[in-house]
Amino acid sequence: MAERQFTVWCLLGEKAGDNTQVRALADALSVGYAEKRIVAQPWELFCHLGRGVTLAGIDSSASSNLVAPWPDVVISAGRRNEPVARWIKQQSGGESRLVHMGRPWAPLECWDLLVTTPQYFLPRQENILHNSLPLYRVNRDEMRSAGERLQRSLEGLPRPWIAVLAGGDSGRFVMTDKKAARFGHLAQALATASGGSLLVTDSARTSAAAGDALCEQILSSNYCYRVKDGGENPYRGMLALADAFVVSGESMSMLGEAAATDNPLFIFDMDDTAPWWVLAHSYRYKPLSHRFAMRFGARRMRRDIGNIQHALVTTGRAQWLVEAGLEEAATALRASAGAAIPNRSASIAEEELQRTAEAVRQLVTAH
């Protein structure tokens, strides 16, 4: 079965986390694949309101050509790529198998395989595979190369090296300037207590004001990268080199990739302590629409990344970044910096990736 060759198309969109999962699964299949870049129109959301299959929401002039021969397997993620995947299956006469990451807008029966995680509320059924974290494949050569390039910028910084991965607004979570400043304060306190250094990067989702508030708390003796400044993003190098990670809790992909290293992981809680309705930032489009969907949407359309956070903490794969635990955490970091770490979480990530790849192969051989 493993030797049978089949063709794979990867539908890639605007979200890096989605693309990482799609490529990870395609790589794990070891049969090669074609990447199809999909660019959505501003009105693409309206194309999901009906059950029809259409490319009306796609900017065809900016997207990859979609022509026969049609693939055996289409791997997709994200709402914007769903109509494209279903259109391809229609054009293939129903022959193409559809594999989708996360939670679909289209009915569950439209998909041959759905690969989901605890943040979604999908049922247990034959065409749904439940994993603990998003799919992530470590390219060791790429990581080693990224680490070597970054290391030249870290000369003289004392260890442990603590990577700070900052995200932004997502779902109910809002990265306000105040939260960003507290995030930076706690990270700096952990580095100071452990005698180590911070390797800081924000992301495309980090607002300029939040990024400024974060970096204002970071001592100049640390390494700090801002996406707005351009240049090579050191994110991969940080995954390769860091002794520990501090991650803003709204990003499923950053949490998953940091957890896969099996280094100590600290989650910054992005939740608000006050009731949401008294906070001005709760009325921004993203958090308000998320709360509306969680309250009135069908259960399978809901999303709560808090489920992933709590799963990581309760299984011992992460801990919360809180003032009360900094000294104990710093002591553990000093003791473990540079030591060999059991490859527990990496094996979990690899097992889930291989299990998912096997499920895709089963789709092809059963067809």
Side-chain angles (χ1 to χ4, degrees):
M1 176 178 62
E3 294 177 355
R4 175 173 175 178
Q5 294 299 301
F6 52 93
T7 55
V8 178
W9 282 8
C10 293
L11 303 186
L12 304 180
E14 63 178 24
K15 294 188 176 181
D18 287 346
N19 294 341
T20 293
Q21 292 191 71
V22 169
R23 288 188 175 115
L25 178 54
D27 283 334
L29 293 172
S30 301
V31 294
Y33 57 91
E35 293 188 350
K36 301 293 182 178
R37 180 69 59 173
I38 306 301
V39 180
Q41 298 281 15
W43 60 82
E44 55 81 24
L45 175 60
F46 296 101
C47 298
H48 295 82
L49 299 181
R51 284 180 168 242
V53 177
T54 176
L55 293 186
I58 302 305
D59 184 346
S60 58
S61 65
S63 301
S64 300
N65 288 330
L66 304 173
V67 295
W70 306 110
D72 297 302
V73 176
V74 178
I75 306 176
S76 61
R79 184 192 71 233
R80 294 169 180 84
N81 288 343
E82 285 190 41
V84 182
R86 296 177 63 201
W87 181 87
I88 292 170
K89 182 164 187 172
Q90 183 183 73
Q91 299 306 302
S92 73
E95 295 296 311
S96 296
R97 307 290 92 184
L98 301 188
V99 179
H100 191 74
M101 307 290 182
R103 168 217 58 198
W105 280 51
L108 301 182
E109 62 269 18
C110 292
W111 309 96
D112 297 287
L113 180 66
L114 289 166
V115 183
T116 194
T117 48
Q119 77 171 107
Y120 302 114
F121 296 81
L122 297 190
R124 301 277 173 176
Q125 62 185 54
E126 188 176 353
N127 68 328
I128 301 179
L129 178 63
H130 292 260
N131 288 329
S132 66
L133 287 169
L135 297 182
Y136 173 62
R137 184 176 180 86
V138 178
N139 185 319
R140 302 197 182 281
D141 291 336
E142 178 185 304
M143 294 279 284
R144 186 182 305 108
S145 178
E148 290 172 353
R149 292 194 300 274
L150 176 60
Q151 191 156 13
R152 293 191 286 269
S153 302
L154 307 181
E155 296 295 335
L157 292 184
R159 301 189 85 140
W161 290 342
I162 305 169
V164 179
L165 311 180
D169 297 359
S170 179
R172 74 172 186 268
F173 301 108
V174 178
M175 178 69 85
T176 63
D177 301 355
K178 184 176 181 181
K179 287 182 190 176
R182 178 162 176 76
F183 185 21
H185 167 74
L186 290 173
Q188 184 59 68
L190 179 61
T192 301
S194 65
S197 305
L198 297 179
L199 317 180
V200 183
T201 180
D202 61 5
S203 72
R205 290 187 299 105
T206 311
S207 70
D212 291 343
L214 168 68
C215 290
E216 284 171 3
Q217 302 295 318
I218 307 301
L219 299 180
S220 59
S221 56
N222 297 295
Y223 174 89
C224 189
Y225 169 83
R226 301 292 300 278
V227 169
K228 68 180 180 65
D229 294 334
E232 182 183 4
N233 193 317
Y235 180 79
R236 295 294 172 199
M238 291 181 181
L239 290 176
L241 297 178
D243 300 302
F245 294 86
V246 175
V247 181
S248 57
E250 90 297 337
S251 174
M252 181 175 68
S253 58
M254 289 196 304
L255 287 173
E257 291 175 7
T261 69
D262 203 35
N263 287 308
L265 170 59
F266 301 88
I267 303 174
F268 175 69
D269 190 356
M270 290 275 286
D271 260 327
D272 297 300
T273 54
W276 72 268
W277 57 86
V278 304
L279 302 171
H281 63 256
S282 296
Y283 294 90
R284 297 179 187 177
Y285 172 73
K286 284 186 177 180
L288 191 60
S289 61
H290 172 80
R291 292 184 187 280
F292 183 87
M294 289 288 286
R295 176 64 179 85
F296 299 105
R299 181 174 174 81
R300 70 174 183 84
M301 295 301 297
R302 300 176 188 176
R303 179 185 68 167
D304 187 358
I305 197 174
N307 292 344
I308 286 184
Q309 298 171 1
H310 290 288
L312 286 170
V313 172
T314 56
T315 58
R317 299 169 72 184
Q319 63 187 90
W320 295 107
L321 181 69
V322 291
E323 200 95 43
L326 287 179
E327 286 298 330
E328 183 178 353
T331 300
L333 285 182
R334 286 195 299 269
S336 64
I341 299 174
N343 200 26
R344 181 193 61 197
S345 292
S347 66
I348 293 174
E350 185 64 19
E351 286 174 5
E352 291 188 339
L353 180 58
Q354 293 306 319
R355 182 179 67 168
T356 306
E358 184 61 23
V360 175
R361 295 189 190 101
Q362 292 283 357
L363 285 180
V364 177
T365 57
H367 183 52

